[in-house]
Amino acid sequence: MLGRLLKYEIKSTARIYLPLYLLLFLTAVINKFFLSVNSENLGIPMAISMTAYVTIIVAIVVITLVITIQRFYKNLLQDEGYLMFTLPVSVDANILSKLLAAVLWNIASTVISFFSVLVLSVDRDMMGALVESWREFQTFLAAQDFAVHWIIFQSIVLILLSLVVGILNLYVAMAIGHLVQKHRVAASLGAFFLIGLVEQIAFTLFIELAAKCNWFYFLHGMNPVDQAQWLLTAAIIVVAVLGAIYYFATKYILKNKLNLE
């Protein structure tokens, strides 16, 4: 059932994202044409086209955030929640379908925006330089031992995990805000900022306590590669724990405290 929910979620949101992505690439190609012609007579059209390109990129960023929030809030915490929670699916499936689709579209928006910049800025000489740089990077990786490859893998895991936890942070804030009877949007915003404040205070206290107790003294005897591995592992664990807290708190509220009236 999770697969069906995820398929429906992606299909519903693709109708918004795909036209935006197509429009972004069209404006990138048009701007590329203006830049290659480099005619003074095309100054005004070029300025308009470049403004449209930047506006679309900003719109993609904003819309991706808005849809990430809207799909969870509207489908699970408002009137549509009556339907979603009467379906023969678990709370986990409802949450995960929203989460996985949001992660997919956040990654897609980042990748598409990056490639549109390449379309706009890369010429034949720069393309050759990029290809050569990629070959040098591959040669560098081939010459490294397992430790460096593991650091790269850990970094990718940390980035993806941070994206997931960031979305779960939004979900739990909305779930907490839904516990109040009135002004639920304002309560959700307040919960989001309060969670961030608690995180910041806890992190500051931990760093101060660790410095006083010399908990990280053992890092001084490590080489830089081992230090990076240890710090990345610690960061992954911390982020994963936060994600678990956000996920299970969201699940508990939706399962036991949900009030759609």
Side-chain angles (χ1 to χ4, degrees):
M1 185 58 72
L2 174 60
R4 292 182 180 180
L5 286 176
L6 181 59
K7 181 179 179 180
Y8 171 77
E9 187 69 19
I10 292 175
K11 184 177 179 180
S12 298
T13 49
R15 290 176 290 186
I16 300 174
Y17 285 110
L18 295 184
L20 277 175
Y21 295 160
L22 178 60
L23 188 59
L24 179 64
F25 268 102
L26 287 176
T27 54
V29 171
I30 292 172
N31 278 287
K32 181 64 176 178
F33 169 75
F34 285 146
L35 290 173
S36 61
V37 173
N38 195 22
S39 173
E40 294 182 358
N41 296 328
L42 297 176
I44 294 178
M46 181 177 176
I48 295 174
S49 180
M50 185 61 71
T51 302
Y53 172 77
V54 174
T55 301
I56 294 171
I57 287 185
V58 174
I60 288 176
V61 173
V62 174
I63 289 173
T64 300
L65 176 60
V66 169
I67 292 179
T68 297
I69 295 172
Q70 183 190 49
R71 294 296 299 181
F72 182 85
Y73 189 82
K74 183 178 179 180
N75 294 158
L76 299 182
L77 299 178
Q78 290 190 315
D79 292 342
E80 292 183 15
Y82 286 108
L83 173 62
M84 297 302 297
F85 287 107
T86 55
L87 295 175
V89 296
S90 63
V91 176
D92 291 302
N94 276 317
I95 297 174
L96 289 175
S97 64
K98 304 299 179 186
L99 176 63
L100 293 176
V103 169
L104 171 66
W105 289 121
N106 273 269
I107 294 174
S109 295
T110 302
V111 172
I112 293 296
S113 298
F114 173 76
F115 276 104
S116 75
V117 173
L118 287 182
V119 170
L120 180 63
S121 60
V122 173
D123 54 20
R124 185 174 300 177
D125 293 336
M126 186 176 293
M127 181 62 71
L130 288 174
V131 172
E132 183 62 28
S133 298
W134 175 247
R135 289 174 180 172
E136 292 178 357
F137 179 68
Q138 289 180 312
T139 302
F140 168 78
L141 285 181
Q144 303 304 312
D145 56 14
F146 175 77
V148 174
H149 293 144
W150 183 246
I151 288 175
I152 295 174
F153 174 75
Q154 285 179 300
S155 300
I156 295 173
V157 169
L158 181 59
I159 292 171
L160 294 177
L161 190 58
S162 298
L163 172 60
V164 172
V165 174
I167 296 171
L168 286 172
N169 191 353
L170 295 172
Y171 287 177
V172 73
M174 287 185 281
I176 292 172
H178 197 77
L179 294 176
V180 303
Q181 295 298 319
K182 297 182 179 180
H183 309 295
R184 287 174 171 172
V185 174
S188 298
L189 288 172
F192 178 78
F193 288 113
L194 182 60
I195 291 171
L197 179 62
V198 171
E199 287 180 359
Q200 188 64 39
I201 293 174
F203 179 76
T204 301
L205 291 176
F206 173 77
I207 293 299
E208 291 181 355
L209 182 60
K212 291 180 180 179
C213 298
N214 291 323
W215 287 352
F216 299 128
Y217 182 76
F218 67 95
L219 290 174
H220 292 290
M222 293 184 180
N223 60 59
V225 173
D226 291 337
Q227 288 179 348
Q229 285 183 331
W230 192 94
L231 292 173
L232 284 169
T233 300
I236 289 172
I237 293 173
V238 170
V239 173
V241 169
L242 279 177
I245 293 172
Y246 295 157
Y247 179 85
F248 287 108
T250 303
K251 178 182 175 180
Y252 175 80
I253 294 172
L254 293 184
K255 188 175 183 178
N256 300 289
K257 301 293 183 179
L258 186 63
N259 181 9
L260 297 177
E261 295 181 0

